[in-house]
Amino acid sequence: MKTYCSLFDSVASRANLHAAWLLARRGRRYRARPARFELDAEMHLLSLERELRSGAYRPGRYRLLAIREPKRRVIAAAPFRDRVHHALCRVIVPLLARSFIHDTYACLPGRGAHRAVLRHLELMRRYRHRCHLDVRAFFASIRVDLLLELVARKIKDPQVLDLLGAILESGLYIYQQERLMRHLGLETHPPGDRRGLPVGNLTSQHLAYFFLDGLDHLVKRDLKVRGYLRYMDDMVLFADDRRALAHAACSAIAFLERARMLRARRAPVVISTREPVCYLGHLTSRQGQSWLPDTGIIPRLAHRSHASRLLRMPKSFRYSDAPSVQYDNLGLRFARPAIPRFQILDPRGLMRSSRSPLRKTWKLCDRFRDGSMCCATSRASWILARPPWW
């Protein structure tokens, strides 16, 4: 295993801190805290550099925000001055990412949720069986000392490790609050002491991603599972042999419990890839994919000729809470159509996109007074009823 030393000068350099500040303020420059920091940015960056080099830097308190949709989470926002996470991640993340396998997706460029959904569809069409694994309370259950030990196998710079340890330990108090545990539903099974990464830090995303890198190599190299996909803590295994797939899933769960001190959310269940499943907010079958109403995204066809190639989804996709899709001109009525070869786009982006090949064919109308949305084509018109999140 290749190790890396003498990285702290690159982390605490003025150029790196300035680049980290530009990344931290992107998209929020005119908000109160970033604007207050920008009034005297040079003084703040010089003070931050002195604290880092002297070892006197200590992270501040987090602002906690509890959300309920799409699931219960607690977002921890660090003070804007403590967005030194960008400076640290700019140096160590490219070094840690060199050991990642190809089929892991989360927070790296080119490996987002949409790419993972398309890869999931490709594997469903290639293999006969699948098994989905998930970690229970993943971010709240990560042991900080074990994570630092794994990082220390590659990063040998003691100053970088001290800085990383200070950032990780600053969020340990979050998961010790009883009220927060009730919000997350963990009062009966608390994660334990010295566990938990604050959801909202850039370091938490990348280090949680790296925390399960050993599982990826176990599945690929030792268990010889060629069809494997992981998005953060959502792992899907594919194979043609049902028994071999069940054995590999049990071995993966045993590794999580033994080497990472994590617990699976449920027992592994092997199902056929012919059955439609929900993965990362998308309903997927071998015929194609569709979107869930609570994701806020809609599909865009990749080519104009695909507008007339709408495939009928299986009957098992007709959930009671799903909005119905009605095709008047074509005489079809079914729920959640599957459209092959599509890209994901925000509804507003679809209206503003001038390069879309379907701009002349598709037009997105305004919302009705009751909150529903109408999208019409030259051959079909369909109305999406108001979803529950509207």
Side-chain angles (χ1 to χ4, degrees):
M1 179 185 298
K2 187 176 181 180
T3 58
Y4 305 93
C5 305
S6 303
L7 300 176
F8 187 76
D9 291 337
S10 300
V11 174
S13 64
R14 296 183 182 180
N16 189 39
L17 292 176
H18 184 268
W21 166 57
L22 296 181
L23 288 175
R25 76 170 188 176
R26 186 170 59 182
R28 56 181 68 88
R29 181 178 180 182
Y30 299 105
R31 297 182 183 179
R33 293 178 178 85
R36 193 179 303 115
F37 185 91
E38 190 173 356
L39 288 176
D40 205 351
E42 183 177 358
M43 184 193 72
H44 289 299
L45 293 178
L46 290 177
S47 174
L48 189 58
E49 180 187 3
R50 288 194 298 266
E51 292 183 11
L52 289 175
R53 294 190 180 277
S54 62
Y57 171 76
R58 293 295 180 270
R61 300 282 292 184
Y62 291 92
R63 292 183 296 109
L64 302 182
L65 174 64
I67 61 175
R68 298 179 180 270
E69 297 293 340
K71 61 184 298 186
R72 290 176 177 263
R73 297 183 186 274
V74 175
I75 307 300
F80 188 81
R81 184 180 180 274
D82 291 338
R83 302 298 170 89
V84 68
H85 312 151
H86 288 275
L88 183 62
C89 291
R90 278 171 50 88
V91 176
I92 68 172
V93 169
L95 304 179
L96 299 177
R98 294 180 180 180
S99 64
F100 294 163
I101 66 174
H102 177 70
D103 285 328
T104 54
Y105 305 86
C107 50
L108 292 180
R111 297 191 184 185
H114 300 153
R115 182 66 61 86
V117 169
L118 294 178
R119 178 60 174 170
H120 182 266
L121 175 61
E122 179 184 354
L123 294 177
M124 284 191 66
R125 291 172 172 173
R126 183 180 302 179
Y127 297 97
R128 297 174 56 188
H129 303 284
R130 71 183 293 275
C131 181
H132 180 262
L133 303 178
D134 192 8
V135 178
R136 187 178 186 276
F138 178 56
F139 280 89
S141 302
I142 295 179
R143 287 185 53 180
V144 173
D145 52 351
L146 180 58
L147 177 58
L148 290 175
E149 180 182 350
L150 295 176
V151 176
R153 296 179 184 178
K154 284 192 172 185
I155 307 298
K156 298 297 183 179
D157 193 324
Q159 292 179 295
V160 173
L161 294 177
D162 292 342
L163 175 61
L164 186 60
I167 295 176
L168 295 180
E169 292 181 359
S170 65
L172 290 178
Y173 75 95
I174 296 178
Y175 295 101
Q176 304 300 326
Q177 304 179 23
E178 182 179 356
R179 183 179 179 183
L180 187 145
M181 290 294 99
R182 290 198 304 268
H183 175 76
L184 297 178
L186 300 177
E187 65 275 6
T188 56
H189 301 282
D193 296 335
R194 298 194 60 80
R195 288 177 181 259
L197 297 182
V199 179
N201 277 2
L202 187 63
T203 53
S204 300
Q205 300 178 28
H206 289 288
L207 293 179
Y209 190 61
F210 170 75
F211 191 65
L212 296 182
D213 181 56
L215 176 64
D216 302 335
H217 292 277
L218 172 73
V219 174
K220 284 287 189 177
R221 296 182 180 182
D222 299 340
L223 302 179
K224 306 297 182 180
V225 179
R226 302 186 62 181
Y228 174 73
L229 172 69
R230 179 172 72 89
Y231 183 88
M232 196 58 75
D233 63 316
D234 289 332
M235 298 150 285
V236 187
L237 287 73
F238 296 88
D240 292 329
D241 190 350
R242 189 182 186 93
R243 292 186 177 181
L245 183 59
H247 174 72
C250 294
S251 301
I253 292 179
F255 175 84
L256 290 175
E257 296 177 352
R258 181 186 69 257
R260 296 297 183 263
M261 308 300 176
L262 300 174
R263 293 180 297 178
R265 186 181 298 272
R266 60 183 65 89
V269 178
V270 179
I271 63 175
S272 175
T273 54
R274 294 186 178 182
E275 300 180 11
V277 295
C278 175
Y279 185 69
L280 299 182
H282 292 75
L283 291 173
T284 307
S285 70
R286 287 186 174 183
Q287 288 79 15
Q289 305 179 58
S290 64
W291 71 102
L292 289 179
D294 57 349
T295 56
I297 54 180
I298 62 176
R300 184 184 66 180
L301 299 183
H303 195 268
R304 183 180 303 178
S305 62
H306 296 157
S308 60
R309 299 172 57 187
L310 301 177
L311 304 180
R312 183 187 296 269
M313 294 298 291
K315 293 182 179 180
S316 56
F317 264 21
R318 299 185 182 181
Y319 293 94
S320 59
D321 58 344
S324 60
V325 181
Q326 188 174 5
Y327 288 81
D328 299 328
N329 298 346
L330 298 181
L332 302 178
R333 182 179 179 86
F334 52 90
R336 294 181 179 178
I339 304 175
R341 300 182 185 178
F342 68 85
Q343 299 175 356
I344 303 299
L345 191 68
D346 184 81
R348 297 183 179 179
L350 179 61
M351 290 187 289
R352 294 196 304 262
S353 177
S354 59
R355 297 182 180 180
S356 174
L358 296 175
R359 182 174 177 83
K360 298 181 181 179
T361 304
W362 290 66
K363 55 183 178 179
L364 188 62
C365 303
D366 296 332
R367 300 176 184 175
F368 295 129
R369 291 183 180 180
D370 59 350
S372 59
M373 183 185 299
C374 176
C375 185
T377 67
S378 58
R379 297 190 59 184
S381 62
W382 50 317
I383 297 178
L384 298 182
R386 181 170 59 181
W389 51 266
W390 205 277

